[in-house]
Amino acid sequence: MSTKFESSIRQINYPQQSVYNMLSDLSHIEKVKDRLPEDKLKDVQFDSDSISIQSPMGAIRLCIIERDAPKCIKFETEQSPIPFYFWIQILPVTEMSSKMKLTIKAELNPFIKGMVQKPLQEGIEKLADALQMIKYE
């Protein structure tokens, strides 16, 4: 059964294109790595197209599978205890601001869903918090 987890919509005080340019090349994450919660994410590694982390559930590797400039970046798990898709949507609000929403979509049986629902929802909000704090310039 397909399950979706969505972050709340976040206001970003930078233009849509600036946000997209930063997030569509994962090597830019180096600038914000210190904002990620160390206890939750150990051994974060990335290049321009993928990110690997050690999570409480095990090793996870996400790769960008689609870039739809300047509004969406889609990822798919290459390695994960639970295969899932993840995407970042960026929409313009004004010329100098935009809004962002993060979505995870996974095929989860009811037992697994019960175990991962709360951590995934909390995780996506924490990631949205971190992405909202970035200086996209």
Side-chain angles (χ1 to χ4, degrees):
M1 189 167 71
S2 186
T3 306
K4 257 189 197 178
F5 300 93
E6 297 179 332
S7 73
S8 53
I9 294 171
R10 304 305 181 93
Q11 182 72 30
I12 311 284
N13 295 321
Y14 292 94
Q16 178 188 30
Q17 189 68 52
S18 301
V19 177
Y20 176 85
N21 290 347
M22 168 90 70
L23 298 178
S24 63
D25 180 346
L26 295 175
S27 60
H28 293 140
I29 291 175
E30 190 66 52
K31 297 174 187 172
V32 297
K33 200 173 164 186
D34 59 340
R35 294 220 176 101
L36 299 172
E38 271 304 309
D39 58 320
K40 301 277 185 270
L41 304 174
K42 292 185 172 42
D43 307 321
V44 178
Q45 297 175 328
F46 36 81
D47 56 35
S48 59
D49 295 315
S50 70
I51 181 164
S52 302
I53 55 173
Q54 288 297 327
S55 78
M57 298 179 348
I60 297 175
R61 179 175 164 84
L62 284 165
C63 296
I64 293 179
I65 55 167
E66 187 182 324
R67 290 175 173 95
D68 183 6
K71 60 184 189 251
C72 190
I73 306 155
K74 292 186 179 177
F75 300 80
E76 182 178 15
T77 52
E78 198 172 77
Q79 176 187 359
S80 174
I82 300 166
F84 63 90
Y85 292 93
F86 169 68
W87 60 97
I88 301 172
Q89 291 166 285
I90 310 153
L91 294 170
V93 175
T94 68
E95 281 184 24
M96 294 311 296
S97 69
S98 51
K99 57 188 179 180
M100 172 192 297
K101 184 169 85 170
L102 311 181
T103 305
I104 290 174
K105 184 177 173 188
E107 298 297 323
L108 303 174
N109 68 44
F111 177 72
I112 297 288
K113 183 178 176 180
M115 290 189 334
V116 302
Q117 188 160 3
K118 190 169 181 244
L120 275 176
Q121 192 62 54
E122 287 175 357
I124 201 168
E125 288 297 343
K126 283 185 176 144
L127 182 57
D129 289 344
L131 294 180
Q132 194 174 15
M133 288 188 268
I134 294 174
K135 299 202 178 332
Y136 292 97
E137 47 197 6

